Amino acid sequence: GKIFSIGENKDRRRGKMGNYYQPEIETMPLPQLQALQSERLVAQVKHVYENVAFYRDRMDQAGVKPQDIHGIEDLHRLPFINKDDLRDQYPYGLLGVPLSECVRIHSTSGTTGRRVVSFYTQEDVDLWDECCARAIVAAGGTKEDVCHVCYGYGLFTGGPGLNGGSHKVGCLTLPMSSGNTERQLQFMMDLGSTIICCTPSYAANLGEAINERGLRDKIKLKAGIFGAEPWTEEMRRSIEESLGIKAYDIYGLTEISGPGVSFECEEQAGMHVQEDHFIPEIIDPETGRVLPEGEVGELVFTCITKKAFPLLRYRTRDLCYLTRKKCSCGRTHIRMHKPMGRSDDMMVVKGINVWPSQIEAVLLNQGYQANYQILVDRIGNNDTIEVQVELTPEMVENPTMTTAQREKKIVSGLKSMLGILVDVKVVEPKTITRSEGKAVRVIDKRNLYR
Ligand code: DLL
């Protein structure tokens, strides 16, 4: 089918109900949206079967032919693909079009160290930019805005994705890339940046730098679009407060295009998945069974419009749940809860599953900022886990507790969250390395011996 209004943004509207970039798609009634998905899925399955030997083999093995797929109700019949398949097919094995049709690659070393390279046709780039434009408009962006992009530019998708979206919206785009905080602040003040796009950990660092320098009233920021790593509601509140903005979550992954696979609206209650391009499913990571709405499991995506790197039923390893509950923003697209962590970010410490986000929630609830690190090791047969967290400057100025009291309080908070005893060390401000892109929260020395 025809891909809706590529590059057209004349239909952009700021309604009472919300801000849409493409209202007729973003608020499309569900039956119509599902009919569109079905039509696109059928075409996509045919496309990959005809053009990608890998899929043809997999589908033949699974005994499914393109003509067996009549619509989204048949999606579950298709085989999954996972990160290992991407690695095995590196670099060209999953290409859906001749290389001469591709105009760009992006890549990620991935949290697990495996390289993933994804390819884009010009049309794929346009669709992706459009996805990012929807996210920017949902965060209140218009052509009057100055959009300060300090996600990394280069192979990482963050910078180029939000940059493309910002152009489509018509914002004045500042392609800052990451790092060099002094320069970020200078441009932010001189050019009056109103929207900032970066990782939440870098946003927290910028907030800290701005407040330390007393620049808060020289900054015009009103909204931030933060993603690429897990972050908690506690961290959202702390960033909103320190930068004086509304902070929106955005999700995506290189394999499925980049940022903008889903994004938050003004309700800040889960991210709308751009269902006209990506069909999400939640599965039981053990059995592969599709789970009903509302249950937590592994997020799986099927790309129904992308042509160069058309992944079907790709297992992301991200854990979350989906909801079709009506959203007051007026969007009809399904919402995903922010990933609580990846199944491969989960640490098993002393036999207990531990996600960094659980630890972060405890720390921020006790008034710390997200300057922490988790050190895991194994001594003999015993796992050790230590959390180091910085005192905030206010805690140093007005000490209400001794360090020992602080540590004891965190230990007990972590005990009730995780059920295990964690060593805690409260350290001086500025002792933990600041991140400019994705923060490194966990140092697991046990992995060094694998
Ligand atoms: O991080 C794309 C991106 C750039 C998203 C900028 C948002 C903003 P990758 O480097 O391939 O791509 O990493 C993808 O990061 O599978 C999640 O585990 C994690 N992730 C991305 N966004 C979020 C988020 C980009 N909002 C991996 N919350 C994904 C939690 C996220 N985790």
Side-chain angles (χ1 to χ4, degrees), residues 159-188:
L162 270 308
N163 195 93
S166 174
H167 276 221
K168 289 235 187 248
V169 177
C171 303
L172 175 63
T173 310
L174 274 48
M176 300 299 300
S177 200
S178 57
N180 199 339
T181 299
E182 295 307 324
R183 189 180 58 190
Q184 303 281 1
L185 299 183
Q186 199 63 54
F187 273 89
M188 208 177 277

Side-chain angles (χ1 to χ4, degrees), residues 83 107-111 116 128 151 156-159 162 198-200 225-231 248-262 271 314 316-319 336-342 344-345 438:
K83 263 224 159 97
S107 172
T108 165
S109 56
T111 37
V116 168
W128 173 32
Y151 285 113
F156 179 54
T157 53
L162 270 308
C198 61
T199 57
I225 303 178
F226 305 129
E229 62 185 2
W231 53 311
Y248 296 81
D249 203 354
I250 185 168
Y251 168 90
L253 58 168
T254 315
E255 301 90 307
I256 306 297
S257 66
V261 172
S262 65
M271 296 180 275
Y314 177 64
T316 64
R317 303 250 148 227
D318 290 321
L319 299 174
M336 57 179 266
H337 188 274
K338 63 166 68 254
M340 299 148 197
R342 300 169 54 83
D344 53 6
D345 268 2
K438 302 195 192 214

Side-chain angles (χ1 to χ4, degrees), residues 350 358-359 362-363 366 368 385-389 401 403-426:
K350 305 181 186 184
Q358 297 176 301
I359 293 174
V362 170
L363 296 175
Q366 294 192 15
Y368 298 89
I385 173 165
E386 177 177 294
V387 173
Q388 297 185 348
V389 60
M401 279 186 263
T403 300
Q405 285 168 328
R406 291 198 166 280
E407 289 173 347
K408 204 167 151 214
K409 188 164 172 210
I410 300 171
V411 169
S412 113
L414 290 173
K415 175 89 201 317
S416 56
M417 172 67 93
L418 307 171
I420 54 172
L421 275 179
V422 173
D423 293 323
V424 172
K425 205 183 222 168
V426 171

Side-chain angles (χ1 to χ4, degrees), residues 109-127:
S109 56
T111 37
T112 46
R114 281 181 195 140
R115 182 164 300 287
V116 168
V117 172
S118 81
F119 296 82
Y120 305 74
T121 64
Q122 182 57 52
E123 199 170 301
D124 294 338
V125 173
D126 287 337
L127 293 176

